[in-house]
Amino acid sequence: MEGMVAKWYTTNTGKSLSEFARLARRIANQLPRGSTVLEVAPGPGYFCTELAKLGAYSITGLDISHTFVEIASKKAAEAGVHVDFRQGNASRMPLGNDTFDFLLCRAAFKNFGQPVAALQEMCRVLKPGGRGLIIDLRKDASMESINREVDGMGLGPINKMVTKLTFRTMLLKSAYTKAQFQYMLAQANFRSVEIQEAGIGFEISMTK
Ligand SMILES: C[S@@+](CC[C@H](N)C(=O)[O-])C[C@H]1O[C@@H](n2cnc3c(N)ncnc32)[C@H](O)[C@@H]1O
């Protein structure tokens, strides 16, 4: 079952590859080559692979799913880039203190069973001065804006319907409000935090 869902997600999100390439370019523009980068919960690893194509970064991806670690490693190898995809829990990262210059967590935070521990772990593994970016759905996103977003994903009619239903029945239920994020972020030790609304989601920038 987990494998089937992982493969469905890999194929569906693969249709928005340009979005991952755009995000990778945006991050690369702010990040000196040679920087250490972590993606928390990379799934198929599209962002890591796109970033690796742009320069000599040292990139790690940490995902709880063995299937996704396998898929992401294979896709990076096919693209001819190296990313260190590892299996592990965002709330108990098998990674050292003060290791990363930058970390990203996209479309995954709302799935974490222990979200506060995940924020504390993000803070622990960032270098002092390192920056983190969480991009995730916001609970008050309207169904109209979600429908528009899904319509722009380039999916066929059935996948489009399933994706809209997934947003309505699962994703919005587990998404957080701004106030909930503020409450959780206050329990981690970041020097500064900024929460911005962006489309159907939030972009949360954190500096250690
Ligand atoms: C919807 S996918 C997002 C993948 C990718 N970030 C993207 O933007 O396409 C959510 C991912 O979160 C991972 N995940 C869920 N709980 C996790 C946890 N506690 N620690 C690490 N990864 C987790 C899942 O295995 C899955 O790969």
Side-chain angles (χ1 to χ4, degrees):
M1 183 62 187
E2 190 232 333
M4 269 172 64
V5 172
K7 284 186 186 120
W8 180 80
Y9 185 82
T10 302
T11 309
N12 255 7
T13 45
K15 300 200 171 103
S16 335
L17 260 191
S18 59
E19 192 190 326
F20 291 97
R22 225 178 7 255
L23 181 60
R25 273 197 304 275
R26 179 183 138 194
I27 300 303
N29 284 341
Q30 312 160 8
L31 207 59
R33 303 298 186 264
S35 298
T36 44
V37 178
L38 170 67
E39 185 175 2
V40 181
Y46 292 127
F47 168 78
C48 294
T49 295
E50 291 302 319
L51 184 69
K53 287 182 194 168
L54 296 179
Y57 296 108
S58 167
I59 310 175
T60 303
L62 182 75
D63 201 285
I64 203 160
S65 152
H66 289 278
T67 310
F68 268 131
V69 171
E70 226 171 84
I71 292 174
S73 305
K74 192 157 162 260
K75 288 206 165 278
E78 280 166 7
V81 295
H82 175 72
V83 177
D84 180 14
F85 287 109
R86 301 196 201 170
Q87 192 276 334
N89 191 333
S91 306
R92 216 176 41 245
M93 298 187 194
L95 301 166
N97 297 348
D98 306 335
T99 304
F100 297 96
D101 295 296
F102 178 81
L103 72 77
L104 173 76
C105 180
R106 179 192 176 274
F109 189 83
K110 62 184 161 321
N111 306 339
F112 297 162
Q114 297 164 283
V116 173
L119 291 173
Q120 290 166 342
E121 282 294 82
M122 288 179 193
C123 191
R124 180 182 68 77
V125 303
L126 278 176
K127 292 178 184 170
R131 290 177 306 116
L133 177 64
I134 298 175
I135 301 177
D136 218 326
L137 183 66
R138 57 192 166 92
K139 201 172 192 73
D140 60 351
S142 70
M143 245 358 264
E144 289 92 326
S145 61
I146 289 173
N147 287 345
R148 261 198 314 276
E149 181 88 7
V150 177
D151 288 341
M153 286 178 180
L155 307 175
I158 297 192
N159 272 342
K160 205 190 273 189
M161 204 177 70
V162 173
T163 304
K164 285 179 184 173
L165 196 70
T166 308
F167 267 100
R168 197 170 319 138
T169 56
M170 289 164 57
L171 302 183
L172 273 181
K173 286 208 174 96
S174 41
Y176 296 110
T177 62
K178 185 173 182 179
Q180 286 171 320
F181 260 117
Q182 282 166 330
Y183 178 75
M184 291 188 286
L185 284 159
Q187 296 170 70
N189 225 0
F190 292 108
R191 188 155 51 85
S192 70
V193 166
E194 192 188 342
I195 305 180
Q196 283 187 322
E197 284 184 11
I200 62 170
F202 290 125
E203 288 205 359
I204 297 162
S205 308
M206 307 155 309
T207 305
K208 178 168 172 179

